[in-house]
Amino acid sequence: PRSDCIAAEQQCLSDSTCNATYRILENCALAKTRLLPLDHDSRVRCLNAELDLGNSSLLHCRCHRRMKRQEHCLRIFWTVHSSMTDGYFNLETSPYENPANEEHWKTDYNKLAALLSGKDRSQLAGDATNPCLKATHVCNLSKKCVRLRTDYASICTRGAGSEDTCDRRKCHRGLRNFFEKVPEDFTKRILFCPCQDELCGERRRKTIVPDCSFQYNTKPNCLWLLDSCLEDHICKSRLADFQQNCQPADMSPDGCSQHNHAACLQAYMGMIGTPMTPNYVSNSSEEISLWCTCESSGNQKEKCDQILGMFENNKCL
């Protein structure tokens, strides 16, 4: 099995040759982060250092979405693969381990849902017509789900209704915490509940508290949103994961080139709580989008449309 990048880095640093090569790559990655132009010789040196790693476990290491020190692990991955980001935003390879290889949690979702249906019917009358409400009620019966949902909701609604603006970074962190630490049995049902009316649709759209996590006063350009994402190790990693797992394919029955719709939905959830947080566009629609526009993109209009199209017109998603 692939090692995680933190273990691979420790192994590399204990070997003098690998250590020297890795230090070169760290400088290359730092120059890219600071947008410093590299001359031809520097670019060649960076590329050669990446090739010199050869079969090193560093070159093949991956990270887990739910691991401790995730940001550190991702920083190592992008240090070793910094040349991959040259294609503007086609990041090619996800730094995350295939979800099929990750440990699946046994959850008590069905038991809690059965417990819920045995409760007073009058109290839950709205549940039958509002699956999003039912999913929330089941979450409330799970200590972990209700605690982490309450955490992000309180952070993301702080400042609402007054002149104070919410703390978007803290709100995003709270959302990522919720989607990483609560089992998908709960999170997927809350986010992807099937709605027949606008009341249900509104609850679904407001799952992520869009006033704080999603919307700005004016829509920024999607290229600006992308730049913000590529400067952030977590966002860049989630975008790479999304691109890999939600790559559309016209000839595939499920519209996905990877033939794994569940992995695409998981990758989509991974984007929530990043600078490129997506959401439903309205209460009466299942369509989703980024909060950005491609107006005034000049000669980069095509790239901008491509970014927006990954979310708006993606058959796999």
Side-chain angles (χ1 to χ4, degrees):
R2 286 176 170 148
S3 64
D4 77 63
C5 294
I6 294 174
E9 182 191 48
Q10 287 170 345
Q11 194 180 331
C12 175
L13 296 181
S14 65
D15 175 280
S16 57
T17 310
C18 188
N19 192 331
T21 306
Y22 185 60
R23 296 304 178 198
I24 293 170
L25 287 172
E26 279 189 316
N27 290 330
C28 300
L30 193 64
K32 278 204 152 186
T33 307
R34 293 179 178 168
L35 301 176
L36 300 172
L38 291 172
D39 58 36
H40 175 72
D41 289 349
S42 299
R43 280 203 301 273
V44 170
R45 192 164 61 247
C46 293
L47 209 53
N48 285 341
E50 200 171 306
L51 294 171
D52 285 345
L53 284 178
N55 289 323
S56 153
S57 56
L58 258 180
L59 203 61
H60 306 287
C61 71
R62 289 290 184 271
C63 303
H64 292 283
R65 291 166 187 78
R66 304 177 190 272
M67 74 187 295
K68 288 179 180 173
R69 301 177 70 200
Q70 183 185 163
E71 279 191 69
H72 179 63
C73 184
L74 296 171
R75 182 184 62 74
I76 297 164
F77 178 89
W78 290 115
T79 296
V80 176
H81 296 281
S82 63
S83 67
M84 276 170 35
T85 56
D86 280 344
Y88 195 71
F89 76 100
N90 291 315
L91 301 172
E92 295 175 33
T93 304
S94 169
Y96 289 110
E97 190 62 80
N98 185 322
N101 299 344
E102 290 189 10
E103 193 181 321
H104 283 287
W105 294 355
K106 287 180 181 171
T107 72
D108 51 1
Y109 186 91
N110 290 333
K111 194 164 56 176
L112 293 176
L115 189 69
L116 185 72
S117 61
K119 286 193 172 189
D120 180 9
R121 293 278 172 191
S122 61
Q123 182 193 332
L124 305 169
D127 285 358
T129 55
N130 191 337
C132 294
L133 192 61
K134 182 179 180 180
T136 306
H137 280 316
V138 179
C139 173
N140 290 343
L141 295 177
S142 159
K143 283 181 184 173
K144 185 178 228 176
C145 188
V146 73
R147 176 172 57 81
L148 290 170
R149 187 171 167 273
T150 305
D151 282 355
Y152 84 73
S154 64
I155 297 164
C156 300
T157 51
R158 212 166 284 158
S162 67
E163 287 183 11
D164 300 333
T165 52
C166 72
D167 190 328
R168 182 174 269 111
R169 286 176 75 88
K170 280 188 178 174
C171 173
H172 280 167
R173 200 181 309 129
L175 279 164
R176 289 200 309 271
N177 243 352
F178 176 73
F179 285 105
E180 279 173 26
K181 293 180 178 173
V182 175
E184 283 180 25
D185 278 355
F186 294 89
T187 56
K188 274 188 173 176
R189 281 175 167 91
I190 286 174
L191 191 66
F192 302 126
C193 36
C195 289
Q196 303 298 323
D197 59 52
E198 287 203 21
L199 199 67
C200 176
E202 183 180 21
R203 178 171 275 274
R204 182 172 61 187
R205 193 178 63 81
K206 288 190 171 172
T207 295
I208 67 163
V209 197
D211 289 350
C212 185
S213 68
F214 177 64
Q215 292 168 206
Y216 294 80
N217 289 335
T218 54
K219 279 190 177 183
N221 187 282
C222 299
L223 295 165
W224 177 83
L225 217 58
L226 177 69
D227 287 342
S228 305
C229 183
L230 295 181
E231 287 169 12
D232 178 289
H233 281 122
I234 285 186
C235 188
K236 179 163 70 169
S237 303
R238 302 296 172 86
L239 182 60
D241 195 52
F242 179 79
Q243 285 185 311
Q244 180 176 299
N245 288 299
C246 294
Q247 195 65 45
D250 289 337
M251 303 306 287
S252 171
D254 60 0
C256 303
S257 61
Q258 298 281 334
H259 311 298
N260 191 340
H261 187 57
C264 175
L265 292 184
Q266 185 183 46
Y268 171 83
M269 288 196 295
M271 294 301 300
I272 295 171
T274 71
M276 282 182 80
T277 294
N279 197 20
Y280 296 98
V281 295
S282 75
N283 297 344
S284 55
S285 166
E286 283 185 3
E287 289 175 36
I288 55 102
S289 182
L290 296 171
W291 183 261
C292 63
T293 176
C294 283
E295 289 173 21
S296 312
S297 297
N299 61 359
Q300 291 190 307
K301 175 84 164 61
E302 198 178 327
K303 282 176 184 171
C304 188
D305 288 338
Q306 211 177 339
I307 296 159
L308 205 48
M310 283 195 300
F311 293 87
E312 286 188 347
N313 307 308
N314 189 326
K315 285 181 181 177
C316 177
L317 182 62

